[in-house]
Amino acid sequence: MDYNFIEVEKKWREKWAEEKTYKTLNESEKPKCYVLDMFPYPSGAGLHVGHPLGYIASDIYARFKKLKGFNVLHPMGYDAFGLPAEQYAIQTGQHPKITTDANLARYREQLDKIGFSFDWDREIRTCEPEYYKWTQWIFAQLFKSWYNNQSQKAESIDNLIMIFENEGNASVDAACAETPIFTAQEWASKTEKEQSDILLNYRLAYLSESMVNWCPALGTVLANDEVINGLSERGGHPVERKLMLQWSLRISAYAERLLQGLEEIDWTDSLKEMQRNWIGKSTGASLKFKIQNSKLDLEVFTTRPDTIFGVSFMVIAPEHEYVDELTSEEQKATVEEYVTNAKNKSERERMADVKNVTGVFTGSYAIHPFTGKEIPIWIGDYVLAGYGTGAVMAVAAHDSRDYAFAKQFNLPILPVIEGGNIEEEAYEAKSGIMINSDFLDGLKVKQAMKTAIWKIESEGLGKGKTNYRLRDAIFGRQRYWGEPIPMYFENGIPKLLDESKYPLTLPEVDEYLPTEDGDPPLGRAKDWKPENGDHYELSTMPGWAGSSWYYLRYMDPQNVGTFASREATDYWNQVDLYIGGTEHATGHLLYSRFWCKVLFDLGHIGFEEPFKKLINQGMILGTSNFAYRVNGTNKFVSKGLKNQYDTTPVHVDVNIVKNDELDIEAFKAWRADFANAEFELENGKYICGEEVEKMSKSKFNVVNPDDIVSEHGADVLRLYEMFLGPLEQAKPWSTKGIDGVSRFIRKFWNLYHDADGNFSVSEGEGSKEEMKVLHTLIKKVQEDVENFSFNTSVSAFMVCVNELQKLKCNKKAVLRELAIVVSPYAPFIAEELWSKLGEKGSVTNALFPEFKPSFLVESSHTYPISFNGKMRFKLEFPLDMDKAEIEKEVLAHKDSQKWLEGKAPKKIIVVPKKIVNIVV
RNA sequence: GCGGGUGUGGUGAAAUUGGUAGACACGCUAGACUUAGGAUCUAGUGCUUCACGGCAUGGGGGUUCGAGUCCCUUCACCCGCACCA
C-alpha cells in the first residue's frame, strides 16, 4: 500500500493544532534559539512557491535546533498595514481591514498546509490596536529623546530641557538641526511655541519643514528607500521634491553606530555593503569661503582638502539658499530662468539628464582663503541640495564632474598633483606629489590631506568633518491604513498624546481619500478630537513602523503592560537566525537596527543589534511556457516546427504543461478563443518553449504551493524546494525532478513496510554496515543544517534510503533514528512513522541522534602525515592502530621506495604542506 | 563609472576547502516485470577513441608534485548603488 500523504498530513495537521505541539514557553532549562522569518505582507494574490522557500529553510533549522535540545522561538505574523489594501479600499469603498483579514485567512490556510512549526499563539498583526499601541509608544519614546553626541546615545529630552534651563544650549553637543545659541535667561524668556520649536530641532522624532519625496499619484510622501529611480516603489508612480511640514525620525544621528554595528553581525558581505553604501560615510573638511563684497560665507564640504589650491570656481545647487543674494543684477534673468527650469524638472528627468552639463554664472566671486584670488561662483544642477552644504569647491583637474563643467564653460583647470593626463581627463587618484600648492608642495596626497585640514582648522577657516549620505527618515504618510501618530496640536504646538490613552485607534472615515482642503484621509473622521487640543495629527505612520520592532513582540505577544517584558527580551535576546529577501536592505533592516539601538539606549532592552545572523534566500523565478501560433490562424505548431512557419509565441498557463508537453485538451478549455485551435505535433506531442521570467499573474507562470501540496504532499514540496539548489541563489521554478523527491518519500515509507504494505520493523541492533550508513547521514545532515546547505541533505537522504534498501534493513534501532533525522525536512511522514514505531509523543520532542564516528569507518582511517618538513602524505591505516604505532610505522618507511610504488601503506597522496606532526 | 556575486555534463547541481571532478536527482538509452502506468526494478550515460589512451570545470597565463578551488589577466551574465563633491 502506498503512502497516503493526504490522510496522514491532515491527521497530523489537526493533531499538532489541537495539542499545540509547537507551543514555546518563555521559561526553560534549555539554551534558547530564536529563528525568525521576515513576516509577509498579505497581498491579494496569496502565496506562490517562492514565498515558502525561506520559511521552509527556517523551519528546518528551527526543528533541527529543537531536536538538538534548544528552546526554540519560531513565530509568524503579518505586516498588515500597507498600500495595496488601501488602494483597493479607495476603488471599492471596502474597509482595508476587511480586505486584509480575508487575505490573511488565505495566507494562513496556505501556510498551514506546508507543516510549519510556528507557535501560532504568538501570532501578531501590525494593524491590531493591541499591537500598534506599542508602535505608538515607541514613537513616543523617540519623541521624548534626543541624541547626545558626547555620550554617543539617546537620552531623555527632560535632561536636555534641564540643561537649557540651567545653562542654555552652548555646551550641548547634539545631533540636531542648526539652532542659534541661547543662554538660560534667553531660554526662560521664550514663549511656549518658541521652546517647542527649538526642542523639535533636537528630538529623535520631529516635525520640520523639509524637502520630501512627494508622490502625487499615491497622494503621500515617501522615504528615500521607497523611491527607486525617481518612481515610487509601490506602483511605480513619479515622485517629485516638495517642501512640506513633516514628521521625521533622526536616524542620521545613528549613522556612525549603524555603520560600526555591521562589524559584529553575521550578514552577507553584499548586504552589509549595501547598508554601508546607503549610510555613505565620507571624511574630509568643511570650510567657509568669503564672498567678495558681501558679509556671507559660502560653506562647502570636500573630501579632498589637499586640492584646495586647485579650486578654480565654486558651484552651488539651484535650490541653495544664497542663490538670490549671490546673483548680480546683470545675471538675474539668466539665473532665474535656469533655477525655475531646474525646479520644474522631476527627479526622474534630472537623473535621466545626467550627461548634459548645465549651469549659469551668478555674477559673484568667492575669495580663496589662502591665495586671496577671486573665484567665480556658478550654479549647476550637478550639485545636489541635499548633500553636504549644497555647494562645492570645484577642482576641475582632480574631479571628473568639475572637469566636465570646466570644459563646458571654459573655466580654468589647475593641476595640483603630479600625474595623469590633464588634457584628456581629470586625475582623480588619491596618490602622487603635490605641486602648485604653496605649503603643500612636495607632500604626498595622504599627508597633504592631513596638513591641509590642520591648516584650515588653525586658521579658523573650517574644520575636519565626516559627512554621511544617510538622510533622516520621513515618517508621516498622508494615508489612512497605517498607525495614527499619537500627537495632537494645541495652538499650533505639537503635543504628545498621554501614553495612558494609547492605542490612539484609527477612526472610521466615509472615504479613503484626502479631504477637499487637501488634508489626509484622517481629516474626514468625525468626532475624532483630543480632549484639550485642536486636532490630532492627521498623517499616519509608514509601513515600516510596525515591522521595525515586531521581533520583540513575538517574545511576549500578549503583554498588556509593556511592549515586551524585560525578562522576555533578556531571555530571547537577539534573533539568532533571520531569513528573508534582500529587498529590505536599506529599508526594514536599517530601520529595525535603528529602533533597536534607541530602545537599547533608553534602557528598554539589553542588546543593540536585532539580528545576529541573516540569510537572504534567493528569489524563485517563474518558467513561462509558450505555444507558437502561426500568424493569422488559430493553428499552433510544436516548438521544433516553429521555424518552418511565421509564428508568434503565446504565454501558456504553466499549470497545463507537463515536462514541456502541452495538455491539449486543457489548453482548449483554458480560453474560449483556443477551443477550436488546431495543432501540429512532433512525435505525437505538442512541445512548448520556455523562458525564465519573474513570477507574475500576467505571464501565467505562477505556481501555487497548494497545487504541489495536493498533488505530491507537503513533505515533497518542502524537500523539493530545498533540493532545487543553494538557498541563497536565485533560481527558476521548475517541477522537473519533483518525481525524484516523490520517489524518495515512497522509498522511505517502504523501508518501514513489507511488500504487502504492512508496517514491519524488526527488533535488534543495526548491523555495522547499517549503522555506518545511518551515521554517515547523521554527520552530513548535522553539518548541512549548520551551514544552511539544505540541498545536499536531501541528496544524503536519498543515498541513505537507497543503501538501507539494498541492505534490506528494517531494524527498529536504525529506522527510529532515521525518522528523527528526516523529520525537520519532512515532518508529516516522519511523525506518522514515529507513531507507527510505537514511540510516544511527537517526533519534534525527540533527541537528534548522536554522531558516532566509529561506525563511519570500516577498517581504515586516513591520516595526513608530514615528511621532511616539506611534504605531507595521506596514509591509510587500520582503525585499531594507535597513534604511536602509526608514527613508528611511518618513520620506519620514511626512505622506503615502497611508498612511491604504493605498496606498503594503502594509498599515498603527496601534499606540499608544512605540517610537522602526525595529525590524527 | 563604483561595489558585490556567478560561470562545472543535455538539465538542477555536488566536491571533506589545494588531493581520484561530475555525488544525488532529472532527462535520455537498453533491458526486465506487468492487471499498459506519469508504476517498479536492473544496467548504462562528460567528451573522444575499435581499443590502450587522450581531453575536460567560460578563455589565456602563473604558483604547485598536484588547481574547479590560490594569484594575474580577459570575456560573459546576474544583483545592488549611481552627479554623494
Side-chain angles (χ1 to χ4, degrees):
Chain A
M1 201 175 62
D2 268 357
Y3 171 52
N4 185 340
F5 61 84
I6 295 176
E7 226 167 72
V8 169
E9 288 180 4
K10 182 166 180 281
K11 168 175 155 195
W12 288 107
R13 215 165 18 236
E14 283 166 5
K15 197 143 186 178
W16 288 338
E18 188 186 311
E19 292 177 0
K20 294 199 191 283
T21 307
Y22 301 115
K23 187 161 178 58
T24 306
L25 299 176
N26 276 7
E27 289 121 41
S28 173
E29 294 300 299
K30 300 173 185 173
K32 72 96 190 184
C33 182
Y34 188 177
V35 182
L36 183 65
D37 294 288
M38 287 188 189
F39 65 168
Y41 172 78
S43 80
L47 291 172
H48 66 62
V49 288
H51 292 110
L53 182 73
Y55 304 158
I56 293 169
S58 69
D59 194 57
I60 289 170
Y61 191 78
R63 285 175 179 272
F64 175 79
K65 281 293 187 184
K66 256 177 219 169
L67 296 176
K68 291 295 263 181
F70 286 79
N71 187 30
V72 176
L73 177 57
H74 187 220
M76 181 50 83
Y78 305 97
D79 185 15
F81 275 132
L83 279 181
E86 180 162 1
Q87 292 295 71
Y88 190 72
I90 290 170
Q91 286 158 23
T92 62
Q94 175 165 296
H95 196 289
K97 178 88 167 68
I98 297 173
T99 316
T100 305
D101 283 348
N103 291 346
L104 221 133
R106 165 121 174 84
Y107 265 61
R108 175 63 192 275
E109 202 180 300
Q110 287 184 295
L111 287 172
D112 276 347
K113 283 192 180 160
I114 305 172
F116 294 119
S117 61
F118 298 130
D119 176 359
W120 284 106
D121 284 355
R122 292 177 185 257
E123 175 188 340
I124 55 177
R125 304 172 181 189
T126 55
C127 67
E128 297 295 342
E130 297 76 39
Y131 179 85
Y132 70 66
K133 172 178 179 179
W134 299 109
T135 310
Q136 291 172 337
W137 180 84
I138 293 173
F139 173 86
Q141 307 316 305
L142 287 155
F143 182 75
K144 294 194 296 184
S145 309
W146 64 294
Y147 195 84
N148 187 342
N149 282 335
Q150 222 75 76
S151 61
Q152 280 290 306
K153 56 181 238 186
E155 293 178 10
S156 165
I157 200 81
D158 295 338
N159 296 345
L160 187 67
I161 295 171
M162 248 160 63
I163 298 173
F164 287 173
E165 283 168 352
N166 293 327
E167 49 186 279
N169 72 343
S171 65
V172 172
D173 180 8
C176 61
E178 205 161 309
T179 311
I181 303 289
F182 54 81
T183 63
Q185 285 83 356
E186 284 167 336
W187 172 257
S189 66
K190 288 182 193 296
T191 64
E192 191 193 355
K193 168 78 173 145
E194 284 167 342
Q195 290 188 345
S196 163
D197 285 348
I198 287 172
L199 286 172
L200 284 175
N201 285 349
Y202 291 84
R203 295 181 190 272
L204 290 183
Y206 63 95
L207 191 61
S208 78
E209 186 84 21
S210 56
M211 214 37 121
V212 298
N213 304 301
W214 172 256
C215 179
L218 294 174
T220 186
V221 299
L222 299 169
N224 284 350
D225 67 282
E226 294 168 318
V227 182
I228 292 160
N229 289 332
L231 298 175
S232 69
E233 186 192 16
R234 294 269 180 193
H237 306 291
V239 172
E240 47 193 60
R241 307 282 296 171
K242 192 175 170 184
L243 205 61
M244 274 180 82
L245 195 61
Q246 269 312 312
W247 284 101
S248 297
L249 301 188
R250 207 176 298 283
I251 188 172
S252 59
Y254 281 83
E256 186 59 34
R257 278 171 64 190
L258 287 168
L259 198 59
Q260 293 305 321
L262 291 172
E263 303 300 326
E264 58 191 67
I265 50 182
D266 186 5
W267 295 13
T268 59
D269 287 339
S270 71
L271 199 70
K272 285 186 185 182
E273 201 54 37
M274 273 189 232
Q275 291 213 342
R276 282 194 198 104
N277 227 310
W278 191 258
I279 295 168
K281 178 179 185 174
S282 53
T283 52
S286 96
L287 62 167
K288 287 179 177 170
F289 283 69
K290 293 225 174 322
I291 293 166
Q292 203 173 43
N293 307 323
S294 165
K295 289 203 177 99
L296 294 174
D297 286 331
L298 187 58
E299 188 176 5
V300 301
F301 172 74
T302 179
T303 56
R304 300 295 303 272
D306 51 309
T307 61
I308 181 77
F309 287 94
V311 178
S312 50
F313 55 98
M314 316 279 288
V315 187
I316 63 174
E319 299 89 351
H320 198 279
E321 53 174 335
Y322 290 173
V323 165
D324 291 339
E325 284 96 329
L326 294 178
T327 304
S328 65
E329 267 316 304
E330 55 269 33
Q331 290 298 98
K332 199 167 177 181
T334 336
V335 168
E336 266 174 15
E337 191 195 336
Y338 182 76
V339 170
T340 316
N341 223 321
K343 276 185 184 159
N344 285 342
K345 266 197 225 172
S346 73
E347 195 76 345
R348 192 171 168 74
E349 283 166 340
R350 196 162 152 168
M351 272 189 235
D353 236 17
V354 166
K355 288 195 183 79
N356 281 338
V357 180
T358 64
V360 288
F361 180 45
T362 59
S364 300
Y365 294 86
I367 306 296
H368 192 286
F370 294 118
T371 67
K373 278 190 196 152
E374 291 179 355
I375 311 168
I377 302 173
W378 285 66
I379 298 174
D381 70 357
Y382 81 94
V383 176
L384 303 175
Y387 183 76
T389 60
V392 302
M393 53 174 236
V395 182
H398 304 291
D399 181 286
S400 59
R401 297 151 303 175
D402 297 344
Y403 186 91
F405 198 82
K407 281 280 177 193
Q408 176 79 24
F409 298 106
N410 217 3
L411 293 159
I413 296 170
L414 312 172
V416 289
I417 306 170
E418 255 174 2
N421 181 3
I422 293 298
E423 298 305 311
E424 297 286 320
E425 56 178 6
Y427 175 69
E428 294 187 290
K430 289 181 184 171
S431 64
I433 304 294
M434 305 304 300
I435 52 170
N436 306 328
S437 292
D438 192 6
F439 59 88
L440 296 174
D441 278 347
L443 293 177
K444 286 181 182 164
V445 167
K446 296 256 158 72
Q447 292 169 298
M449 285 198 190
K450 285 182 197 153
T451 310
I453 292 176
W454 172 81
K455 188 88 174 171
I456 287 164
E457 287 185 349
S458 63
E459 307 228 333
L461 304 165
K463 56 183 175 183
K465 195 181 171 188
T466 302
N467 222 344
Y468 299 91
R469 196 145 66 207
L470 185 66
R471 298 271 74 98
D472 282 345
I474 308 286
F475 197 67
R477 294 290 180 279
Q478 288 63 42
R479 305 289 298 195
Y480 175 75
W481 191 229
E483 302 88 344
I485 295 178
M487 300 289 303
Y488 64 93
F489 291 83
E490 193 176 352
N491 303 321
I493 298 172
K495 301 221 164 144
L496 185 64
L497 182 67
D498 192 83
E499 287 167 26
S500 64
K501 304 215 171 80
Y502 298 175
L504 173 60
T505 49
L506 203 49
E508 294 300 319
V509 294
D510 55 349
E511 256 194 304
Y512 304 95
L513 290 168
T515 64
E516 269 95 68
D517 310 336
D519 278 338
L522 290 191
R524 293 176 175 275
K526 293 194 179 73
D527 308 320
W528 194 57
K529 271 203 160 48
E531 273 167 34
N532 45 8
D534 308 324
H535 63 88
Y536 284 121
E537 167 63 44
L538 295 179
S539 54
T540 52
M541 299 190 195
W544 49 265
S547 62
S548 292
W549 72 282
Y550 75 111
Y551 64 97
L552 293 169
R553 188 63 180 171
Y554 283 135
M555 298 175 183
D556 193 7
Q558 269 97 41
N559 199 318
V560 291
T562 175
F563 67 98
S565 73
R566 188 62 196 258
E567 297 84 70
T569 59
D570 280 351
Y571 175 69
W572 291 112
N573 207 264
Q574 289 168 293
V575 174
D576 294 284
L577 175 67
Y578 195 29
I579 296 189
T582 182
E583 66 272 17
H584 298 108
T586 52
H588 162 64
L589 288 173
L590 202 59
Y591 297 127
S592 302
R593 294 183 58 218
F594 166 44
W595 283 31
C596 182
K597 285 176 192 299
V598 174
L599 290 172
F600 171 79
D601 285 357
L602 300 178
H604 298 297
I605 55 175
F607 49 92
E608 64 169 310
E609 281 294 338
F611 314 120
K612 199 152 74 182
K613 180 170 178 67
L614 182 133
I615 290 193
N616 299 118
Q617 90 274 25
M619 200 190 337
I620 291 201
L621 302 162
T623 306
S624 307
N625 280 115
F626 295 93
Y628 300 92
R629 173 157 52 187
V630 178
N631 288 345
T633 69
N634 206 7
K635 180 175 167 184
F636 292 82
V637 297
S638 186
K639 183 186 169 192
L641 308 168
K642 71 173 166 132
N643 292 333
Q644 298 168 22
Y645 298 87
D646 186 16
T647 60
T648 307
V650 178
H651 271 105
V652 178
D653 187 339
V654 291
N655 294 302
I656 58 172
V657 179
K658 201 112 228 179
N659 292 339
D660 287 342
E661 189 189 345
L662 179 68
D663 180 337
I664 290 176
E665 289 314 309
F667 182 71
K668 286 179 173 175
W670 180 45
R671 271 168 48 179
D673 50 331
F674 296 152
N676 299 316
E678 294 169 51
F679 300 88
E680 188 167 333
L681 311 177
E682 288 176 86
N683 308 323
K685 293 174 175 179
Y686 188 97
I687 305 299
C688 292
E690 58 175 45
E691 201 177 304
V692 173
E693 301 175 290
K694 236 181 173 172
M695 267 199 194
S696 115
K697 261 183 178 174
S698 64
K699 291 173 182 136
F700 303 106
N701 62 357
V702 174
V703 184
N704 200 280
D706 308 9
D707 297 343
I708 306 292
V709 170
S710 48
E711 196 174 346
H712 299 275
D715 288 333
V716 172
L717 174 75
R718 293 170 62 105
L719 286 163
Y720 186 61
E721 291 225 6
M722 292 301 104
F723 184 69
L724 226 40
L727 179 62
E728 301 181 69
Q729 203 171 88
K731 48 204 164 254
W733 174 261
S734 136
T735 47
K736 284 179 189 168
I738 201 164
D739 293 341
V741 174
S742 228
R743 214 164 284 155
F744 158 73
I745 287 288
R746 228 171 299 145
K747 285 184 191 173
F748 179 45
W749 178 260
N750 288 339
L751 272 186
Y752 298 73
H753 296 80
D754 61 23
D756 301 324
N758 297 315
F759 182 75
S760 154
V761 295
S762 61
E763 298 295 327
E765 293 295 299
S767 70
K768 205 165 186 184
E769 257 320 273
E770 291 163 355
M771 293 311 265
K772 186 190 162 191
V773 170
L774 176 67
H775 282 92
T776 308
L777 178 73
I778 291 169
K779 179 171 191 255
K780 178 78 178 137
V781 169
Q782 221 159 254
E783 287 169 357
D784 283 350
V785 176
E786 295 292 0
N787 295 324
F788 308 100
S789 166
F790 302 106
N791 53 331
T792 49
S793 288
V794 183
S795 295
F797 292 146
M798 292 178 181
V799 173
C800 178
V801 166
N802 280 340
E803 291 191 9
L804 289 180
Q805 193 181 45
K806 270 183 209 152
L807 294 169
K808 299 199 163 50
C809 172
N810 72 342
K811 306 263 178 51
K812 185 175 173 182
V814 177
L815 297 181
R816 181 187 180 277
E817 313 285 81
L818 181 63
I820 299 172
V821 177
V822 174
S823 69
Y825 289 77
F828 289 108
I829 189 168
E831 194 80 276
E832 176 71 7
L833 292 170
W834 184 256
S835 75
K836 283 198 167 201
L837 284 165
E839 297 287 348
K840 294 272 178 290
S842 166
V843 70
T844 305
N845 302 319
L847 265 191
F848 196 82
E850 232 178 289
F851 167 55
K852 295 184 186 133
S854 58
F855 286 107
L856 188 63
V857 193
E858 220 176 336
S859 57
S860 66
H861 210 138
T862 308
Y863 296 88
I865 291 160
S866 72
F867 184 49
N868 287 347
K870 191 180 161 198
M871 291 191 180
R872 193 173 104 195
F873 298 94
K874 273 190 182 173
L875 302 186
E876 276 190 34
F877 290 102
L879 236 199
D880 46 9
M881 203 179 231
D882 74 10
K883 202 173 148 185
E885 278 181 283
I886 293 168
E887 208 160 18
K888 214 166 127 193
E889 181 81 3
V890 171
L891 291 174
H893 287 79
K894 169 163 110 172
D895 301 314
S896 172
Q897 186 59 30
K898 283 183 183 173
W899 279 28
L900 300 173
E901 293 161 13
K903 282 179 189 166
K906 276 189 181 169
K907 203 182 197 174
I908 301 179
I909 304 161
V910 188
V911 178
K913 267 220 166 167
K914 287 168 231 145
I915 289 179
V916 187
N917 296 312
I918 292 180
V919 184
V920 180

